[in-house]
């Protein structure tokens, strides 16, 4: 899906143009790790699935920027798989593609692997039943992408990120519940019922395009079309139907 043509919301003027930014290392161009910045605030307040969709959008910007400079095909596949993950975690095997600690050099490989690492962290199985969202994964990824983009493309990325975050937060806000420790619940079912609204429901990829006239009643149809268009034989992160059923998937894989 994402490898065939550049999404309209990704406005990278020259994919494959040499990186002319200073790259000091894989962990040197993420955002502050102990400070809640204005960008963190703007990204926050969504469900987990909505945050994953936003992180996938950031990954797409970075992957299109790096295309032609290093191997990036698996990051396109990971971004695609992220939307399926939010339907059910069994769709995705996050360990199926290249992984590992990002090297500090060369810059192109370092940036690609660090973006991959943050997206996979957002899809960690523990996040499925968590009260908290992978906001910092999106935040750090956005800082990397802003840094590696060509200067003329950075304002467009920043505008897209603000608009996409605002739109996603509008349609898929995090509930206003106060946090409760797991031990305060009488059963696993009670805890799962509490966190499920914070996980939320799958977000169609179209929501990343601020020009797409999205209405909530379209969501089910858009997600059904998206799932029907997936091919696990062409995406290393997607599990085949048999493997999903073995993991306890209920229903018919790749149908909504």
């Amino acid at each position: 899906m994402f490898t065939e043509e550049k999404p309209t919301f990704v406005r990278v003027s020259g994919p494959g143009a040499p990186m002319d930014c200073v790259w000091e290392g894989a962990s040197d161009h993420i955002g502050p790790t102990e400070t809640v910045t204005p960008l963190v605030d703007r990204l926050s307040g969504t469900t987990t699935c909505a945050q994953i969709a936003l992180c996938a959008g950031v990954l797409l910007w970075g992957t299109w920027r790096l295309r032609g400079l290093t191997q990036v095909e698996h990051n396109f596949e990971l971004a695609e798989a992220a939307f399926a993950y939010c339907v059910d975690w069994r769709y995705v095997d996050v360990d199926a593609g290249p992984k590992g600690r990002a090297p500090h050099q060369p810059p192109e490989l370092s940036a690609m692997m660090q973006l991959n690492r943050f997206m996979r962290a957002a899809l960690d199985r523990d996040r499925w039943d968590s009260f908290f969202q992978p906001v910092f994964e999106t935040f750090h990824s956005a800082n990397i992408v802003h840094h590696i983009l060509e200067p003329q493309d950075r304002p467009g990325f920043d505008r897209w990120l603000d608009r996409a975050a605002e739109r996603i937060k509008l349609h898929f806000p995090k509930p206003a519940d106060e946090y409760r420790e797991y031990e305060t619940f009488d059963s696993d079912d009670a805890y799962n019922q509490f966190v499920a609204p914070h996980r939320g429901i799958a977000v169609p990829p179209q929501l990343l395009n601020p020009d797409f006239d999205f209405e909530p009643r379209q969501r089910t149809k858009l997600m059904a079309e998206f799932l029907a268009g997936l091919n696990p034989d062409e995406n290393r992160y997607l599990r085949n139907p048999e493997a999903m059923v073995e993991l306890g998937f209920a229903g018919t894989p790749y149908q909504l």
Side-chain angles (χ1 to χ4, degrees):
M1 177 181 182
F2 296 125
T3 59
E4 297 174 358
E5 61 179 292
K6 183 158 56 68
T8 56
F9 66 85
V10 177
R11 294 171 184 173
V12 176
S13 55
M19 284 176 56
D20 57 3
C21 60
V22 175
W23 186 265
E24 297 178 355
S27 59
D28 293 300
H29 304 289
I30 63 175
T33 57
E34 298 180 0
T35 304
V36 176
T37 70
L39 178 56
V40 172
D41 283 335
R42 295 199 300 275
L43 296 174
S44 301
T46 76
T47 61
T48 298
C49 288
Q51 194 63 217
I52 287 172
L54 196 56
C55 191
V58 172
L59 176 61
L60 285 170
W61 272 81
T63 304
W64 276 101
R65 168 66 182 98
L66 295 169
R67 191 181 198 187
L69 299 175
T70 187
Q71 293 294 321
V72 298
E73 286 71 18
H74 62 293
N75 274 357
F76 285 127
E77 295 172 16
L78 184 60
E80 179 180 73
F83 291 93
Y85 174 92
C86 291
V87 177
D88 192 288
W89 64 268
R90 297 167 185 85
Y91 274 104
V92 180
D93 179 1
V94 295
D95 295 322
K99 60 183 185 294
R101 183 176 294 275
H104 290 308
Q105 301 294 335
E108 299 82 4
L109 177 63
S110 180
M112 180 277 294
M113 290 188 65
Q114 191 73 319
L115 290 172
N116 179 275
R117 173 176 172 265
F118 284 128
M119 187 75 253
R120 287 191 298 106
L123 302 178
D124 188 283
R125 175 69 180 86
D126 290 340
R127 296 293 181 91
W128 187 257
D129 294 320
S130 174
F131 176 88
F132 300 103
Q133 288 66 54
V135 176
F136 275 91
E137 283 76 5
T138 307
F139 171 65
H140 292 316
S141 296
N143 276 275
I144 292 173
V145 171
H146 178 92
H147 184 74
I148 65 175
L149 284 172
E150 294 186 90
Q152 69 269 23
D153 294 333
R154 291 170 183 164
F157 170 71
D158 294 342
R159 286 193 298 271
W160 167 81
L161 184 60
D162 281 344
R163 290 181 66 192
E166 181 180 353
R167 185 162 130 117
I168 283 177
K169 192 183 302 186
L170 172 66
H171 291 290
F172 300 95
K174 178 179 173 65
D177 304 318
E178 293 291 331
Y179 173 68
R180 289 177 56 187
E181 295 284 350
Y182 172 81
E183 291 75 14
T184 65
F185 293 88
D186 295 332
S187 65
D188 288 344
D189 285 343
Y191 174 76
N192 291 335
Q193 289 176 16
F194 173 71
V195 298
H198 295 268
R199 177 174 63 246
I201 54 179
V203 175
Q206 289 86 347
L207 207 70
L208 295 177
N209 181 2
D211 296 326
F212 182 83
D213 188 17
F214 175 77
E215 296 183 12
R217 60 183 175 80
Q218 299 172 297
R219 190 199 73 87
T220 301
K221 179 177 181 291
L222 291 172
M223 286 307 306
E225 293 172 348
F226 171 77
L227 286 178
L230 295 178
N231 186 347
D233 292 331
E234 297 178 357
N235 185 326
R236 72 200 79 193
Y237 292 101
L238 292 175
R239 290 190 171 100
N240 62 46
E242 293 76 14
M244 293 176 60
V245 171
E246 288 179 4
L247 289 171
F249 182 82
T252 303
Y254 297 98
Q255 294 183 23
L256 196 60

Short mmCIF file of all heavy atoms in Angstrom, two decimals, residues 81-116:
data_model
loop_
_atom_site.label_atom_id
_atom_site.label_comp_id
_atom_site.label_asym_id
_atom_site.label_seq_id
_atom_site.Cartn_x
_atom_site.Cartn_y
_atom_site.Cartn_z
N ALA A 81 1.44 -2.34 8.64
CA ALA A 81 1.03 -3.32 9.64
C ALA A 81 0.49 -2.66 10.90
O ALA A 81 -0.36 -3.23 11.60
CB ALA A 81 2.20 -4.24 10.00
N ALA A 82 0.97 -1.46 11.20
CA ALA A 82 0.53 -0.77 12.42
C ALA A 82 -0.97 -0.54 12.43
O ALA A 82 -1.62 -0.64 13.48
CB ALA A 82 1.27 0.57 12.56
N PHE A 83 -1.56 -0.25 11.27
CA PHE A 83 -3.00 -0.02 11.22
C PHE A 83 -3.77 -1.32 11.43
O PHE A 83 -4.86 -1.32 12.01
CB PHE A 83 -3.36 0.63 9.88
CG PHE A 83 -2.87 2.03 9.76
CD1 PHE A 83 -1.65 2.30 9.16
CD2 PHE A 83 -3.61 3.09 10.26
CE1 PHE A 83 -1.17 3.60 9.06
CE2 PHE A 83 -3.15 4.39 10.16
CZ PHE A 83 -1.92 4.65 9.56
N ALA A 84 -3.21 -2.44 10.97
CA ALA A 84 -3.84 -3.73 11.21
C ALA A 84 -3.72 -4.13 12.68
O ALA A 84 -4.64 -4.73 13.25
CB ALA A 84 -3.22 -4.80 10.32
N TYR A 85 -2.59 -3.83 13.29
CA TYR A 85 -2.37 -4.14 14.70
C TYR A 85 -3.50 -3.59 15.56
O TYR A 85 -3.93 -4.22 16.53
CB TYR A 85 -1.03 -3.56 15.13
CG TYR A 85 -0.71 -3.69 16.60
CD1 TYR A 85 0.00 -4.78 17.10
CD2 TYR A 85 -1.11 -2.71 17.51
CE1 TYR A 85 0.30 -4.89 18.45
CE2 TYR A 85 -0.82 -2.81 18.86
CZ TYR A 85 -0.12 -3.90 19.33
OH TYR A 85 0.16 -4.01 20.66
N CYS A 86 -3.99 -2.40 15.21
CA CYS A 86 -5.00 -1.76 16.04
C CYS A 86 -6.37 -2.40 15.89
O CYS A 86 -7.26 -2.16 16.70
CB CYS A 86 -5.07 -0.27 15.71
SG CYS A 86 -3.59 0.62 16.23
N VAL A 87 -6.55 -3.22 14.86
CA VAL A 87 -7.76 -4.05 14.78
C VAL A 87 -7.63 -5.21 15.76
O VAL A 87 -8.55 -5.51 16.52
CB VAL A 87 -7.97 -4.57 13.35
CG1 VAL A 87 -9.18 -5.50 13.29
CG2 VAL A 87 -8.15 -3.40 12.39
N ASP A 88 -6.47 -5.84 15.75
CA ASP A 88 -6.17 -6.93 16.68
C ASP A 88 -4.66 -7.16 16.66
O ASP A 88 -4.06 -7.22 15.59
CB ASP A 88 -6.89 -8.22 16.26
CG ASP A 88 -6.84 -9.30 17.33
OD1 ASP A 88 -5.75 -9.87 17.54
OD2 ASP A 88 -7.89 -9.57 17.96
N TRP A 89 -4.06 -7.28 17.84
CA TRP A 89 -2.61 -7.39 17.92
C TRP A 89 -2.08 -8.64 17.21
O TRP A 89 -0.92 -8.69 16.80
CB TRP A 89 -2.15 -7.42 19.38
CG TRP A 89 -2.64 -8.60 20.19
CD1 TRP A 89 -3.76 -8.67 20.94
CD2 TRP A 89 -2.00 -9.88 20.30
NE1 TRP A 89 -3.88 -9.91 21.53
CE2 TRP A 89 -2.81 -10.68 21.16
CE3 TRP A 89 -0.84 -10.44 19.78
CZ2 TRP A 89 -2.49 -11.99 21.49
CZ3 TRP A 89 -0.51 -11.75 20.11
CH2 TRP A 89 -1.33 -12.51 20.95
N ARG A 90 -2.94 -9.63 17.02
CA ARG A 90 -2.49 -10.88 16.41
C ARG A 90 -2.15 -10.73 14.92
O ARG A 90 -1.53 -11.61 14.34
CB ARG A 90 -3.56 -11.96 16.59
CG ARG A 90 -3.82 -12.32 18.06
CD ARG A 90 -5.08 -13.13 18.20
NE ARG A 90 -5.43 -13.39 19.59
CZ ARG A 90 -6.12 -12.55 20.37
NH1 ARG A 90 -6.52 -11.40 19.87
NH2 ARG A 90 -6.39 -12.85 21.62
N TYR A 91 -2.55 -9.64 14.33
CA TYR A 91 -2.21 -9.41 12.93
C TYR A 91 -0.70 -9.24 12.73
O TYR A 91 -0.19 -9.50 11.65
CB TYR A 91 -2.91 -8.15 12.40
CG TYR A 91 -4.30 -8.39 11.89
CD1 TYR A 91 -5.42 -8.02 12.63
CD2 TYR A 91 -4.51 -8.98 10.64
CE1 TYR A 91 -6.71 -8.22 12.16
CE2 TYR A 91 -5.80 -9.19 10.16
CZ TYR A 91 -6.89 -8.82 10.92
OH TYR A 91 -8.17 -9.04 10.45
N VAL A 92 0.00 -8.79 13.75
CA VAL A 92 1.36 -8.30 13.54
C VAL A 92 2.40 -9.04 14.39
O VAL A 92 2.22 -9.21 15.60
CB VAL A 92 1.43 -6.78 13.85
CG1 VAL A 92 2.85 -6.25 13.65
CG2 VAL A 92 0.45 -6.01 12.98
N ASP A 93 3.46 -9.44 13.74
CA ASP A 93 4.65 -9.97 14.41
C ASP A 93 5.72 -8.90 14.31
O ASP A 93 6.39 -8.75 13.29
CB ASP A 93 5.11 -11.26 13.73
CG ASP A 93 6.36 -11.85 14.37
OD1 ASP A 93 6.86 -11.27 15.36
OD2 ASP A 93 6.85 -12.88 13.88
N VAL A 94 5.90 -8.13 15.39
CA VAL A 94 6.82 -6.98 15.33
C VAL A 94 8.27 -7.41 15.22
O VAL A 94 9.14 -6.59 14.88
CB VAL A 94 6.64 -6.07 16.56
CG1 VAL A 94 5.26 -5.44 16.57
CG2 VAL A 94 6.90 -6.82 17.86
N ASP A 95 8.56 -8.67 15.50
CA ASP A 95 9.95 -9.15 15.42
C ASP A 95 10.28 -9.78 14.08
O ASP A 95 11.37 -10.32 13.91
CB ASP A 95 10.20 -10.17 16.54
CG ASP A 95 10.12 -9.55 17.92
OD1 ASP A 95 10.57 -8.40 18.07
OD2 ASP A 95 9.59 -10.20 18.84
N ALA A 96 9.37 -9.69 13.13
CA ALA A 96 9.58 -10.39 11.85
C ALA A 96 10.58 -9.69 10.94
O ALA A 96 11.14 -10.31 10.04
CB ALA A 96 8.25 -10.55 11.12
N GLY A 97 10.80 -8.41 11.14
CA GLY A 97 11.70 -7.67 10.26
C GLY A 97 13.04 -7.39 10.93
O GLY A 97 13.28 -7.81 12.06
N PRO A 98 13.92 -6.68 10.23
CA PRO A 98 15.22 -6.32 10.80
C PRO A 98 15.04 -5.52 12.09
O PRO A 98 14.15 -4.68 12.18
CB PRO A 98 15.85 -5.45 9.70
CG PRO A 98 15.15 -5.84 8.46
CD PRO A 98 13.74 -6.19 8.87
N LYS A 99 15.84 -5.81 13.06
CA LYS A 99 15.74 -5.09 14.33
C LYS A 99 17.11 -5.08 15.00
O LYS A 99 18.06 -5.69 14.54
CB LYS A 99 14.70 -5.74 15.24
CG LYS A 99 14.97 -7.19 15.61
CD LYS A 99 13.85 -7.73 16.46
CE LYS A 99 14.11 -9.15 16.94
NZ LYS A 99 14.16 -10.13 15.85
N GLY A 100 17.18 -4.38 16.10
CA GLY A 100 18.43 -4.25 16.83
C GLY A 100 18.70 -2.80 17.15
O GLY A 100 18.01 -1.89 16.69
N ARG A 101 19.71 -2.57 17.97
CA ARG A 101 20.08 -1.20 18.33
C ARG A 101 20.62 -0.48 17.11
O ARG A 101 21.44 -1.01 16.36
CB ARG A 101 21.14 -1.22 19.43
CG ARG A 101 21.54 0.17 19.92
CD ARG A 101 22.51 0.08 21.07
NE ARG A 101 21.89 -0.52 22.24
CZ ARG A 101 21.18 0.16 23.13
NH1 ARG A 101 20.99 1.47 22.96
NH2 ARG A 101 20.65 -0.44 24.17
N ALA A 102 20.13 0.73 16.90
CA ALA A 102 20.57 1.51 15.74
C ALA A 102 22.02 1.94 15.91
O ALA A 102 22.41 2.44 16.97
CB ALA A 102 19.69 2.75 15.59
N PRO A 103 22.84 1.75 14.89
CA PRO A 103 24.22 2.23 14.96
C PRO A 103 24.25 3.74 14.90
O PRO A 103 23.31 4.38 14.42
CB PRO A 103 24.86 1.61 13.71
CG PRO A 103 23.73 1.51 12.74
CD PRO A 103 22.51 1.17 13.56
N HIS A 104 25.32 4.33 15.36
CA HIS A 104 25.42 5.80 15.30
C HIS A 104 25.72 6.29 13.90
O HIS A 104 25.39 7.42 13.55
CB HIS A 104 26.48 6.29 16.29
CG HIS A 104 26.07 6.12 17.73
ND1 HIS A 104 24.86 6.58 18.22
CD2 HIS A 104 26.70 5.53 18.78
CE1 HIS A 104 24.77 6.28 19.51
NE2 HIS A 104 25.87 5.65 19.87
N GLN A 105 26.35 5.47 13.10
CA GLN A 105 26.69 5.82 11.73
C GLN A 105 26.55 4.58 10.86
O GLN A 105 26.63 3.46 11.37
CB GLN A 105 28.14 6.37 11.66
CG GLN A 105 28.41 7.61 12.50
CD GLN A 105 27.65 8.84 12.02
OE1 GLN A 105 27.29 8.94 10.83
NE2 GLN A 105 27.40 9.77 12.93
N PRO A 106 26.33 4.72 9.56
CA PRO A 106 26.14 5.96 8.80
C PRO A 106 24.78 6.59 9.11
O PRO A 106 23.86 5.89 9.56
CB PRO A 106 26.25 5.50 7.35
CG PRO A 106 25.80 4.07 7.38
CD PRO A 106 26.29 3.52 8.69
N PRO A 107 24.62 7.87 8.85
CA PRO A 107 23.40 8.58 9.26
C PRO A 107 22.12 7.97 8.71
O PRO A 107 21.13 7.86 9.44
CB PRO A 107 23.62 9.99 8.69
CG PRO A 107 25.10 10.13 8.60
CD PRO A 107 25.61 8.77 8.24
N GLU A 108 22.14 7.56 7.44
CA GLU A 108 20.92 7.05 6.82
C GLU A 108 20.44 5.76 7.50
O GLU A 108 19.26 5.61 7.82
CB GLU A 108 21.15 6.80 5.33
CG GLU A 108 21.54 8.02 4.53
CD GLU A 108 23.01 8.36 4.62
OE1 GLU A 108 23.76 7.58 5.26
OE2 GLU A 108 23.43 9.39 4.06
N LEU A 109 21.37 4.85 7.73
CA LEU A 109 21.03 3.59 8.40
C LEU A 109 20.63 3.84 9.84
O LEU A 109 19.68 3.25 10.35
CB LEU A 109 22.21 2.63 8.33
CG LEU A 109 22.03 1.29 9.04
CD1 LEU A 109 20.92 0.48 8.40
CD2 LEU A 109 23.34 0.49 9.04
N SER A 110 21.34 4.72 10.50
CA SER A 110 21.06 5.04 11.89
C SER A 110 19.65 5.60 12.06
O SER A 110 18.88 5.16 12.92
CB SER A 110 22.10 6.05 12.41
OG SER A 110 21.86 6.39 13.75
N ALA A 111 19.30 6.56 11.22
CA ALA A 111 17.97 7.17 11.30
C ALA A 111 16.88 6.16 10.98
O ALA A 111 15.85 6.09 11.67
CB ALA A 111 17.89 8.36 10.35
N MET A 112 17.10 5.35 9.93
CA MET A 112 16.10 4.36 9.55
C MET A 112 15.85 3.37 10.67
O MET A 112 14.70 3.07 11.02
CB MET A 112 16.56 3.62 8.29
CG MET A 112 15.59 2.56 7.79
SD MET A 112 15.76 0.94 8.63
CE MET A 112 17.40 0.47 8.07
N MET A 113 16.90 2.87 11.29
CA MET A 113 16.74 1.87 12.34
C MET A 113 16.14 2.47 13.61
O MET A 113 15.38 1.80 14.32
CB MET A 113 18.08 1.20 12.63
CG MET A 113 18.57 0.31 11.52
SD MET A 113 20.05 -0.66 11.97
CE MET A 113 19.38 -1.72 13.26
N GLN A 114 16.47 3.71 13.90
CA GLN A 114 15.91 4.34 15.10
C GLN A 114 14.41 4.58 14.93
O GLN A 114 13.63 4.36 15.85
CB GLN A 114 16.63 5.65 15.39
CG GLN A 114 16.31 6.25 16.75
CD GLN A 114 16.93 5.50 17.91
OE1 GLN A 114 16.97 4.27 17.94
NE2 GLN A 114 17.43 6.22 18.89
N LEU A 115 13.98 4.98 13.74
CA LEU A 115 12.55 5.14 13.49
C LEU A 115 11.84 3.80 13.58
O LEU A 115 10.73 3.70 14.13
CB LEU A 115 12.33 5.77 12.12
CG LEU A 115 12.73 7.24 11.98
CD1 LEU A 115 12.63 7.68 10.52
CD2 LEU A 115 11.85 8.12 12.86
N ASN A 116 12.46 2.76 13.05
CA ASN A 116 11.89 1.41 13.14
C ASN A 116 11.74 0.99 14.59
O ASN A 116 10.71 0.42 15.00
CB ASN A 116 12.77 0.43 12.37
CG ASN A 116 12.26 -0.99 12.42
OD1 ASN A 116 12.55 -1.73 13.37
ND2 ASN A 116 11.51 -1.40 11.41
#
